[in-house]
């Protein structure tokens, strides 16, 4: 092992030791400070292995570096906090057989561009009976202050087109500002829209709903729900805003419950 690898391993061990306490402490502060955050973002499911991949700062919070995390200043996203507290969470850097083994649900939040091998693995996971929740945003704003060229920032435009095309879908940016969905009242920001794409090569069956902002797909024995927005998960909108926090949390909660309840036969 190289010196650099040893240093990274040491940092990772230190982070693992420090982070859980920070997560618990912040969760307590949030619940006490804002009744909006009392609405659960994730349903009460049996403990299971769940895979999470995102280019967004879900684990430590936007703008929190390693020093800040060690100092207890981590601001984990409520979705991450719920997953890591109640389930066997795998935060994946790579989607392969090892990462997906034993999982029933994968949550992708504006993931990085996936390799052809990862796309095959993801398609096979769902096809074999897995569940997938995807937030794919064609015009991401969160987190603020990180431009298109910032290497530390998330993807500003979703790069999941190959998977969507294989399932007979495309994602477009219709230039919308803000959308409030009915009847959930969830608020989407600059959301995309899914449309049917001719010439698909797979056997997926997708139903487009919510004026194109949601697609529900049956793929083999599995199910996927695709949402054409990730800004709805912005902590300002899902934790703080009286206009959207409760509704956005409840909407995500209900979608996951729907996925879990679908019959895979």
């Amino acid at each position: 092992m190289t010196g650099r690898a040893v240093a990274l391993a040491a940092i990772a061990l230190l982070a693992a030791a420090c982070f859980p306490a920070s997560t618990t402490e912040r969760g307590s502060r949030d619940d006490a400070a804002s009744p909006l955050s009392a609405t659960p973002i994730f349903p009460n499911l049996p403990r299971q292995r769940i895979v999470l991949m995102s280019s967004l700062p879900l684990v430590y919070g936007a703008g929190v570096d390693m020093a800040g995390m060690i100092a207890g200043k981590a601001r984990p996203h409520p979705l991450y906090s719920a997953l890591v507290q109640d389930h066997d969470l795998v935060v994946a850097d790579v989607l392969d057989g090892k990462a997906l083994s034993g999982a029933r649900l994968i949550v992708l939040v504006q993931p990085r561009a996936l390799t052809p091998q990862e796309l095959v693995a993801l398609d096979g996971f769902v096809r074999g009976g897995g569940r997938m929740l995807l937030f794919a945003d064609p015009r991401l704003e969160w987190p603020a202050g990180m431009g298109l060229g910032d290497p530390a920032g998330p993807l500003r435009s979703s790069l999941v087109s190959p998977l969507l095309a294989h399932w007979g879908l495309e994602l477009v940016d219709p230039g919308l500002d803000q959308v409030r969905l009915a009847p959930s009242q969830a608020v989407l920001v600059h959301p995309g829209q899914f449309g049917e794409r001719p010439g698909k090569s797979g056997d997926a069956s997708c139903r487009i709903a919510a004026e194109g902002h949601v697609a529900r797909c049956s793929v083999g024995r599995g199910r996927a729900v695709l949402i054409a927005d990730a800004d709805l998960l912005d902590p300002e909108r899902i934790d703080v805003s009286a206009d959207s926090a409760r509704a956005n949390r409840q909407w995500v909660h209900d979608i996951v419950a729907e996925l879990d309840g679908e019959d895979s036969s």
Side-chain angles (χ1 to χ4, degrees):
M1 181 179 290
T2 66
R4 183 173 181 273
V6 170
L8 289 174
I11 291 173
L13 289 172
L14 182 57
C18 297
F19 185 71
S22 300
T23 303
T24 303
E25 290 166 5
R26 179 163 196 277
S28 299
R29 290 197 299 271
D30 282 349
D31 291 342
S34 173
L36 299 174
S37 64
T39 301
I41 194 172
F42 206 81
N44 183 20
L45 304 179
R47 190 173 189 90
Q48 58 189 278
R49 180 181 172 95
I50 296 176
V51 177
L52 173 68
M53 174 182 270
S54 179
S55 65
L56 285 159
L58 303 184
V59 177
Y60 304 124
V64 179
D65 58 14
M66 186 61 67
M69 184 276 297
I70 293 173
K73 297 179 180 180
R75 300 190 301 272
H77 192 277
L79 178 60
Y80 171 83
S81 295
L83 291 173
V84 78
Q85 177 177 336
D86 298 326
H87 299 281
D88 300 320
L89 181 64
V90 176
V91 180
D93 293 321
V94 177
L95 294 182
D96 55 16
K98 181 179 180 181
L100 297 172
S101 177
R104 186 169 184 264
L105 172 65
I106 181 168
V107 180
L108 303 173
V109 184
Q110 198 75 343
R112 61 163 175 76
L114 300 176
T115 67
Q117 293 80 8
E118 288 176 307
L119 291 169
V120 169
L122 185 57
D123 178 76
F125 169 77
V126 179
R127 189 173 303 280
R131 307 290 198 267
M132 184 182 83
L133 176 58
L134 168 67
F135 298 87
D137 200 317
R139 188 156 47 122
L140 184 77
E141 290 190 351
W142 162 52
M146 290 186 173
L148 290 173
D150 191 335
L155 293 180
R156 291 301 176 181
S157 183
S158 175
L159 296 176
V160 296
S161 295
L163 180 66
L164 298 181
H166 186 58
W167 289 358
L169 297 173
E170 61 181 0
L171 175 62
V172 300
D173 179 3
L176 299 174
D177 181 24
Q178 180 171 296
V179 173
R180 186 180 294 276
L181 300 179
S184 69
Q185 299 301 301
V187 176
L188 312 184
V189 181
H190 300 313
Q193 286 180 322
F194 294 108
E196 294 183 357
R197 183 179 185 275
K200 69 177 183 179
S201 58
D203 60 351
S205 174
C206 296
R207 294 178 292 108
I208 298 173
E211 300 183 2
H213 305 305
V214 177
R216 292 176 169 86
C217 297
S218 298
V219 187
R221 294 186 294 111
R223 302 288 184 270
V225 175
L226 320 178
I227 299 170
D229 185 50
D231 282 317
L232 73 98
L233 295 174
D234 183 338
E236 290 297 317
R237 294 194 170 274
I238 211 159
D239 260 346
V240 179
S241 172
D243 183 55
S244 61
R246 284 196 182 96
N248 284 19
R249 280 174 170 259
Q250 188 66 53
W251 192 54
V252 174
H253 172 284
D254 292 347
I255 286 174
V256 176
E258 169 195 330
L259 266 175
D260 183 70
E262 287 274 11
D263 182 11
S264 63
S265 61

